[in-house]
Structure formats: structure tokens, C-alpha cells
PDB file of all heavy atoms in Angstrom:
ATOM      1  N   ASP Q   1      -9.054  17.688  33.422  1.00  0.00           N
ATOM      2  CA  ASP Q   1     -10.444  17.291  33.340  1.00  0.00           C
ATOM      3  C   ASP Q   1     -11.126  17.364  34.604  1.00  0.00           C
ATOM      4  O   ASP Q   1     -10.853  16.474  35.597  1.00  0.00           O
ATOM      5  CB  ASP Q   1     -10.579  15.719  32.777  1.00  0.00           C
ATOM      6  CG  ASP Q   1     -11.984  15.342  32.597  1.00  0.00           C
ATOM      7  OD1 ASP Q   1     -12.917  16.200  32.621  1.00  0.00           O
ATOM      8  OD2 ASP Q   1     -12.163  14.176  32.555  1.00  0.00           O
ATOM      9  N   THR Q   2     -12.000  18.305  34.816  1.00  0.00           N
ATOM     10  CA  THR Q   2     -12.711  18.345  36.084  1.00  0.00           C
ATOM     11  C   THR Q   2     -14.071  17.968  36.032  1.00  0.00           C
ATOM     12  O   THR Q   2     -14.862  18.087  37.103  1.00  0.00           O
ATOM     13  CB  THR Q   2     -12.630  19.935  36.667  1.00  0.00           C
ATOM     14  OG1 THR Q   2     -13.281  20.655  35.569  1.00  0.00           O
ATOM     15  CG2 THR Q   2     -11.220  20.403  36.864  1.00  0.00           C
ATOM     16  N   ALA Q   3     -14.519  17.587  34.926  1.00  0.00           N
ATOM     17  CA  ALA Q   3     -16.076  17.244  34.565  1.00  0.00           C
ATOM     18  C   ALA Q   3     -16.379  16.040  35.544  1.00  0.00           C
ATOM     19  O   ALA Q   3     -17.564  16.039  35.981  1.00  0.00           O
ATOM     20  CB  ALA Q   3     -16.221  16.781  33.211  1.00  0.00           C
ATOM     21  N   ALA Q   4     -15.517  15.101  35.940  1.00  0.00           N
ATOM     22  CA  ALA Q   4     -15.860  13.801  36.675  1.00  0.00           C
ATOM     23  C   ALA Q   4     -16.009  14.146  38.135  1.00  0.00           C
ATOM     24  O   ALA Q   4     -16.287  13.366  38.866  1.00  0.00           O
ATOM     25  CB  ALA Q   4     -14.828  12.832  36.391  1.00  0.00           C
ATOM     26  N   TYR Q   5     -15.486  15.222  38.578  1.00  0.00           N
ATOM     27  CA  TYR Q   5     -15.516  15.758  40.013  1.00  0.00           C
ATOM     28  C   TYR Q   5     -16.814  16.386  40.468  1.00  0.00           C
ATOM     29  O   TYR Q   5     -17.223  17.329  39.835  1.00  0.00           O
ATOM     30  CB  TYR Q   5     -14.218  16.470  40.373  1.00  0.00           C
ATOM     31  CG  TYR Q   5     -12.915  15.861  39.977  1.00  0.00           C
ATOM     32  CD1 TYR Q   5     -12.120  16.493  39.099  1.00  0.00           C
ATOM     33  CD2 TYR Q   5     -12.715  14.640  40.537  1.00  0.00           C
ATOM     34  CE1 TYR Q   5     -10.936  15.912  38.756  1.00  0.00           C
ATOM     35  CE2 TYR Q   5     -11.422  14.069  40.117  1.00  0.00           C
ATOM     36  CZ  TYR Q   5     -10.539  14.630  39.333  1.00  0.00           C
ATOM     37  OH  TYR Q   5      -9.449  14.012  38.889  1.00  0.00           O
ATOM     38  N   ARG Q   6     -17.289  16.051  41.632  1.00  0.00           N
ATOM     39  CA  ARG Q   6     -18.423  16.859  42.203  1.00  0.00           C
ATOM     40  C   ARG Q   6     -17.845  17.885  43.150  1.00  0.00           C
ATOM     41  O   ARG Q   6     -16.685  17.835  43.518  1.00  0.00           O
ATOM     42  CB  ARG Q   6     -19.176  15.838  43.095  1.00  0.00           C
ATOM     43  CG  ARG Q   6     -19.838  14.696  42.359  1.00  0.00           C
ATOM     44  CD  ARG Q   6     -20.828  13.927  43.223  1.00  0.00           C
ATOM     45  NE  ARG Q   6     -21.367  12.754  42.558  1.00  0.00           N
ATOM     46  CZ  ARG Q   6     -20.942  11.484  42.649  1.00  0.00           C
ATOM     47  NH1 ARG Q   6     -19.840  11.281  43.407  1.00  0.00           N
ATOM     48  NH2 ARG Q   6     -21.566  10.613  41.948  1.00  0.00           N
ATOM     49  N   ALA Q   7     -18.750  18.871  43.523  1.00  0.00           N
ATOM     50  CA  ALA Q   7     -18.248  19.917  44.392  1.00  0.00           C
ATOM     51  C   ALA Q   7     -17.872  19.339  45.729  1.00  0.00           C
ATOM     52  O   ALA Q   7     -16.917  19.827  46.346  1.00  0.00           O
ATOM     53  CB  ALA Q   7     -19.392  20.861  44.610  1.00  0.00           C
ATOM     54  N   THR Q   8     -18.481  18.247  46.250  1.00  0.00           N
ATOM     55  CA  THR Q   8     -17.998  17.661  47.447  1.00  0.00           C
ATOM     56  C   THR Q   8     -16.722  16.971  47.355  1.00  0.00           C
ATOM     57  O   THR Q   8     -16.178  16.629  48.517  1.00  0.00           O
ATOM     58  CB  THR Q   8     -19.103  16.644  47.959  1.00  0.00           C
ATOM     59  OG1 THR Q   8     -19.278  15.724  46.819  1.00  0.00           O
ATOM     60  CG2 THR Q   8     -20.455  17.363  48.392  1.00  0.00           C
ATOM     61  N   ASP Q   9     -16.102  16.784  46.198  1.00  0.00           N
ATOM     62  CA  ASP Q   9     -14.817  16.149  46.066  1.00  0.00           C
ATOM     63  C   ASP Q   9     -13.676  17.168  46.451  1.00  0.00           C
ATOM     64  O   ASP Q   9     -12.592  16.778  46.661  1.00  0.00           O
ATOM     65  CB  ASP Q   9     -14.579  15.566  44.691  1.00  0.00           C
ATOM     66  CG  ASP Q   9     -15.483  14.434  44.371  1.00  0.00           C
ATOM     67  OD1 ASP Q   9     -15.871  13.628  45.371  1.00  0.00           O
ATOM     68  OD2 ASP Q   9     -15.889  14.229  43.218  1.00  0.00           O
ATOM     69  N   GLY Q  10     -13.939  18.440  46.296  1.00  0.00           N
ATOM     70  CA  GLY Q  10     -12.990  19.399  46.393  1.00  0.00           C
ATOM     71  C   GLY Q  10     -12.184  19.388  47.694  1.00  0.00           C
ATOM     72  O   GLY Q  10     -10.901  19.257  47.565  1.00  0.00           O
ATOM     73  N   PRO Q  11     -12.794  19.318  48.847  1.00  0.00           N
ATOM     74  CA  PRO Q  11     -12.009  19.358  50.016  1.00  0.00           C
ATOM     75  C   PRO Q  11     -11.173  18.099  50.171  1.00  0.00           C
ATOM     76  O   PRO Q  11     -10.017  18.145  50.708  1.00  0.00           O
ATOM     77  CB  PRO Q  11     -13.143  19.462  51.168  1.00  0.00           C
ATOM     78  CG  PRO Q  11     -14.222  20.138  50.494  1.00  0.00           C
ATOM     79  CD  PRO Q  11     -14.202  19.595  49.180  1.00  0.00           C
ATOM     80  N   ARG Q  12     -11.698  16.966  49.788  1.00  0.00           N
ATOM     81  CA  ARG Q  12     -10.778  15.809  49.785  1.00  0.00           C
ATOM     82  C   ARG Q  12      -9.651  15.777  48.814  1.00  0.00           C
ATOM     83  O   ARG Q  12      -8.625  15.317  49.247  1.00  0.00           O
ATOM     84  CB  ARG Q  12     -11.713  14.564  49.432  1.00  0.00           C
ATOM     85  CG  ARG Q  12     -12.792  14.238  50.496  1.00  0.00           C
ATOM     86  CD  ARG Q  12     -13.509  12.858  50.264  1.00  0.00           C
ATOM     87  NE  ARG Q  12     -14.355  12.981  49.091  1.00  0.00           N
ATOM     88  CZ  ARG Q  12     -15.593  13.355  49.216  1.00  0.00           C
ATOM     89  NH1 ARG Q  12     -16.173  13.509  50.456  1.00  0.00           N
ATOM     90  NH2 ARG Q  12     -16.414  13.411  48.131  1.00  0.00           N
ATOM     91  N   LEU Q  13      -9.836  16.301  47.604  1.00  0.00           N
ATOM     92  CA  LEU Q  13      -8.802  16.430  46.685  1.00  0.00           C
ATOM     93  C   LEU Q  13      -7.689  17.439  47.151  1.00  0.00           C
ATOM     94  O   LEU Q  13      -6.531  17.218  47.038  1.00  0.00           O
ATOM     95  CB  LEU Q  13      -9.387  17.013  45.277  1.00  0.00           C
ATOM     96  CG  LEU Q  13     -10.158  15.983  44.552  1.00  0.00           C
ATOM     97  CD1 LEU Q  13     -10.888  16.517  43.310  1.00  0.00           C
ATOM     98  CD2 LEU Q  13      -9.334  14.782  44.083  1.00  0.00           C
ATOM     99  N   GLY Q  14      -8.231  18.516  47.912  1.00  0.00           N
ATOM    100  CA  GLY Q  14      -7.378  19.529  48.402  1.00  0.00           C
ATOM    101  C   GLY Q  14      -6.509  18.824  49.592  1.00  0.00           C
ATOM    102  O   GLY Q  14      -5.362  19.082  49.639  1.00  0.00           O
ATOM    103  N   ALA Q  15      -7.024  17.893  50.422  1.00  0.00           N
ATOM    104  CA  ALA Q  15      -6.333  17.262  51.305  1.00  0.00           C
ATOM    105  C   ALA Q  15      -5.253  16.378  50.872  1.00  0.00           C
ATOM    106  O   ALA Q  15      -4.054  16.263  51.245  1.00  0.00           O
ATOM    107  CB  ALA Q  15      -7.205  16.334  52.268  1.00  0.00           C
ATOM    108  N   VAL Q  16      -5.560  15.709  49.676  1.00  0.00           N
ATOM    109  CA  VAL Q  16      -4.478  14.767  49.056  1.00  0.00           C
ATOM    110  C   VAL Q  16      -3.444  15.675  48.515  1.00  0.00           C
ATOM    111  O   VAL Q  16      -2.270  15.367  48.631  1.00  0.00           O
ATOM    112  CB  VAL Q  16      -5.198  14.000  47.877  1.00  0.00           C
ATOM    113  CG1 VAL Q  16      -4.102  13.299  47.119  1.00  0.00           C
ATOM    114  CG2 VAL Q  16      -6.277  13.007  48.434  1.00  0.00           C
ATOM    115  N   LEU Q  17      -3.806  16.814  47.879  1.00  0.00           N
ATOM    116  CA  LEU Q  17      -2.735  17.681  47.221  1.00  0.00           C
ATOM    117  C   LEU Q  17      -1.802  18.218  48.421  1.00  0.00           C
ATOM    118  O   LEU Q  17      -0.729  18.233  48.215  1.00  0.00           O
ATOM    119  CB  LEU Q  17      -3.499  18.683  46.579  1.00  0.00           C
ATOM    120  CG  LEU Q  17      -2.644  19.708  45.769  1.00  0.00           C
ATOM    121  CD1 LEU Q  17      -1.672  18.933  44.819  1.00  0.00           C
ATOM    122  CD2 LEU Q  17      -3.581  20.678  44.892  1.00  0.00           C
ATOM    123  N   THR Q  18      -2.485  18.513  49.465  1.00  0.00           N
ATOM    124  CA  THR Q  18      -1.619  19.042  50.648  1.00  0.00           C
ATOM    125  C   THR Q  18      -0.653  17.956  51.179  1.00  0.00           C
ATOM    126  O   THR Q  18       0.458  18.344  51.437  1.00  0.00           O
ATOM    127  CB  THR Q  18      -2.624  19.550  51.777  1.00  0.00           C
ATOM    128  OG1 THR Q  18      -3.438  20.605  51.189  1.00  0.00           O
ATOM    129  CG2 THR Q  18      -1.815  20.092  52.941  1.00  0.00           C
ATOM    130  N   ASP Q  19      -1.098  16.898  51.310  1.00  0.00           N
ATOM    131  CA  ASP Q  19      -0.233  15.700  51.715  1.00  0.00           C
ATOM    132  C   ASP Q  19       0.824  15.552  50.757  1.00  0.00           C
ATOM    133  O   ASP Q  19       1.993  15.258  51.163  1.00  0.00           O
ATOM    134  CB  ASP Q  19      -1.054  14.521  51.920  1.00  0.00           C
ATOM    135  CG  ASP Q  19      -2.016  14.503  53.108  1.00  0.00           C
ATOM    136  OD1 ASP Q  19      -1.814  15.431  54.015  1.00  0.00           O
ATOM    137  OD2 ASP Q  19      -2.949  13.804  53.196  1.00  0.00           O
ATOM    138  N   LEU Q  20       0.537  15.544  49.439  1.00  0.00           N
ATOM    139  CA  LEU Q  20       1.606  15.347  48.498  1.00  0.00           C
ATOM    140  C   LEU Q  20       2.767  16.357  48.506  1.00  0.00           C
ATOM    141  O   LEU Q  20       3.915  16.134  48.396  1.00  0.00           O
ATOM    142  CB  LEU Q  20       1.041  15.239  47.123  1.00  0.00           C
ATOM    143  CG  LEU Q  20       0.408  14.017  46.762  1.00  0.00           C
ATOM    144  CD1 LEU Q  20      -0.355  14.088  45.501  1.00  0.00           C
ATOM    145  CD2 LEU Q  20       1.331  12.844  46.701  1.00  0.00           C
ATOM    146  N   VAL Q  21       2.306  17.716  48.638  1.00  0.00           N
ATOM    147  CA  VAL Q  21       3.174  18.838  48.747  1.00  0.00           C
ATOM    148  C   VAL Q  21       4.030  18.694  50.056  1.00  0.00           C
ATOM    149  O   VAL Q  21       5.315  18.844  50.109  1.00  0.00           O
ATOM    150  CB  VAL Q  21       2.442  20.095  48.766  1.00  0.00           C
ATOM    151  CG1 VAL Q  21       3.497  21.274  49.100  1.00  0.00           C
ATOM    152  CG2 VAL Q  21       1.910  20.344  47.380  1.00  0.00           C
ATOM    153  N   SER Q  22       3.401  18.288  51.210  1.00  0.00           N
ATOM    154  CA  SER Q  22       4.109  18.070  52.446  1.00  0.00           C
ATOM    155  C   SER Q  22       5.138  16.894  52.248  1.00  0.00           C
ATOM    156  O   SER Q  22       6.289  17.058  52.691  1.00  0.00           O
ATOM    157  CB  SER Q  22       3.139  17.718  53.549  1.00  0.00           C
ATOM    158  OG  SER Q  22       2.184  18.710  53.758  1.00  0.00           O
ATOM    159  N   ALA Q  23       4.740  15.873  51.647  1.00  0.00           N
ATOM    160  CA  ALA Q  23       5.574  14.703  51.405  1.00  0.00           C
ATOM    161  C   ALA Q  23       6.857  15.087  50.552  1.00  0.00           C
ATOM    162  O   ALA Q  23       7.944  14.721  50.824  1.00  0.00           O
ATOM    163  CB  ALA Q  23       4.823  13.491  50.833  1.00  0.00           C
ATOM    164  N   LEU Q  24       6.603  15.916  49.476  1.00  0.00           N
ATOM    165  CA  LEU Q  24       7.549  16.350  48.631  1.00  0.00           C
ATOM    166  C   LEU Q  24       8.626  17.241  49.404  1.00  0.00           C
ATOM    167  O   LEU Q  24       9.876  17.093  49.224  1.00  0.00           O
ATOM    168  CB  LEU Q  24       6.995  17.067  47.424  1.00  0.00           C
ATOM    169  CG  LEU Q  24       8.033  17.656  46.404  1.00  0.00           C
ATOM    170  CD1 LEU Q  24       8.894  16.442  45.735  1.00  0.00           C
ATOM    171  CD2 LEU Q  24       7.401  18.483  45.372  1.00  0.00           C
ATOM    172  N   PHE Q  25       8.149  18.141  50.193  1.00  0.00           N
ATOM    173  CA  PHE Q  25       9.005  19.027  50.942  1.00  0.00           C
ATOM    174  C   PHE Q  25       9.835  18.154  51.914  1.00  0.00           C
ATOM    175  O   PHE Q  25      11.049  18.366  52.022  1.00  0.00           O
ATOM    176  CB  PHE Q  25       8.221  20.064  51.753  1.00  0.00           C
ATOM    177  CG  PHE Q  25       7.704  21.248  50.921  1.00  0.00           C
ATOM    178  CD1 PHE Q  25       7.967  21.319  49.670  1.00  0.00           C
ATOM    179  CD2 PHE Q  25       7.271  22.327  51.560  1.00  0.00           C
ATOM    180  CE1 PHE Q  25       7.598  22.523  48.808  1.00  0.00           C
ATOM    181  CE2 PHE Q  25       6.723  23.329  50.798  1.00  0.00           C
ATOM    182  CZ  PHE Q  25       7.023  23.465  49.569  1.00  0.00           C
ATOM    183  N   ALA Q  26       9.243  17.124  52.592  1.00  0.00           N
ATOM    184  CA  ALA Q  26       9.830  16.299  53.666  1.00  0.00           C
ATOM    185  C   ALA Q  26      10.936  15.555  52.898  1.00  0.00           C
ATOM    186  O   ALA Q  26      12.086  15.386  53.349  1.00  0.00           O
ATOM    187  CB  ALA Q  26       8.957  15.472  54.242  1.00  0.00           C
ATOM    188  N   HIS Q  27      10.598  15.026  51.636  1.00  0.00           N
ATOM    189  CA  HIS Q  27      11.722  14.163  50.972  1.00  0.00           C
ATOM    190  C   HIS Q  27      12.778  15.078  50.585  1.00  0.00           C
ATOM    191  O   HIS Q  27      13.931  14.728  50.596  1.00  0.00           O
ATOM    192  CB  HIS Q  27      11.004  13.735  49.709  1.00  0.00           C
ATOM    193  CG  HIS Q  27      11.868  12.947  48.732  1.00  0.00           C
ATOM    194  ND1 HIS Q  27      12.311  11.639  48.995  1.00  0.00           N
ATOM    195  CD2 HIS Q  27      12.546  13.284  47.618  1.00  0.00           C
ATOM    196  CE1 HIS Q  27      13.162  11.298  48.015  1.00  0.00           C
ATOM    197  NE2 HIS Q  27      13.349  12.242  47.201  1.00  0.00           N
ATOM    198  N   ALA Q  28      12.627  16.388  50.153  1.00  0.00           N
ATOM    199  CA  ALA Q  28      13.684  17.263  49.723  1.00  0.00           C
ATOM    200  C   ALA Q  28      14.551  17.536  50.897  1.00  0.00           C
ATOM    201  O   ALA Q  28      15.820  17.738  50.747  1.00  0.00           O
ATOM    202  CB  ALA Q  28      13.013  18.413  49.209  1.00  0.00           C
ATOM    203  N   LEU Q  29      14.154  17.518  52.048  1.00  0.00           N
ATOM    204  CA  LEU Q  29      14.802  17.781  53.246  1.00  0.00           C
ATOM    205  C   LEU Q  29      15.218  16.476  53.963  1.00  0.00           C
ATOM    206  O   LEU Q  29      15.954  16.454  55.063  1.00  0.00           O
ATOM    207  CB  LEU Q  29      13.984  18.572  54.280  1.00  0.00           C
ATOM    208  CG  LEU Q  29      13.489  20.021  53.790  1.00  0.00           C
ATOM    209  CD1 LEU Q  29      12.413  20.516  54.820  1.00  0.00           C
ATOM    210  CD2 LEU Q  29      14.622  20.943  53.682  1.00  0.00           C
ATOM    211  N   GLU Q  30      14.859  15.313  53.427  1.00  0.00           N
ATOM    212  CA  GLU Q  30      15.065  14.015  54.126  1.00  0.00           C
ATOM    213  C   GLU Q  30      14.608  14.016  55.488  1.00  0.00           C
ATOM    214  O   GLU Q  30      15.284  13.643  56.504  1.00  0.00           O
ATOM    215  CB  GLU Q  30      16.599  13.622  54.071  1.00  0.00           C
ATOM    216  CG  GLU Q  30      17.180  13.523  52.608  1.00  0.00           C
ATOM    217  CD  GLU Q  30      18.565  13.043  52.597  1.00  0.00           C
ATOM    218  OE1 GLU Q  30      19.269  13.265  53.582  1.00  0.00           O
ATOM    219  OE2 GLU Q  30      18.967  12.656  51.468  1.00  0.00           O
ATOM    220  N   SER Q  31      13.346  14.508  55.678  1.00  0.00           N
ATOM    221  CA  SER Q  31      12.803  14.737  57.014  1.00  0.00           C
ATOM    222  C   SER Q  31      11.426  14.101  57.046  1.00  0.00           C
ATOM    223  O   SER Q  31      10.481  14.653  57.504  1.00  0.00           O
ATOM    224  CB  SER Q  31      12.873  16.109  57.540  1.00  0.00           C
ATOM    225  OG  SER Q  31      12.046  16.864  56.673  1.00  0.00           O
ATOM    226  N   ALA Q  32      11.231  12.858  56.482  1.00  0.00           N
ATOM    227  CA  ALA Q  32       9.868  12.400  56.403  1.00  0.00           C
ATOM    228  C   ALA Q  32       9.315  12.219  57.907  1.00  0.00           C
ATOM    229  O   ALA Q  32       8.043  12.017  58.025  1.00  0.00           O
ATOM    230  CB  ALA Q  32       9.953  10.974  55.742  1.00  0.00           C
TER     231      ALA Q  32
END
């Protein structure tokens, strides 16, 4: 559901997504 998001939300959502992927990789490597 993307209807609730504004165009200006995109970069912020991308930053959250990048942090989650980074955290997942760090967790897999036990290198937080």
C-alpha cells in the first residue's frame, strides 16, 4: 500500500530501508 505515502516520504523511507539492510548484514556477521 503506497497510497498513504507522499513523494517527499521516499528518501526517508529509503534511509530506513538502508539502515535495516545494514543492520541485517551486521547481525549476520555479528559485527554490529
Side-chain angles (χ1 to χ4, degrees):
D1 181 17
T2 59
Y5 302 120
R6 301 186 181 95
T8 53
D9 292 328
R12 290 190 287 270
L13 293 170
V16 172
L17 188 52
T18 300
D19 288 342
L20 284 172
V21 173
S22 301
L24 180 62
F25 282 5
H27 177 76
L29 298 167
E30 298 184 341
S31 60

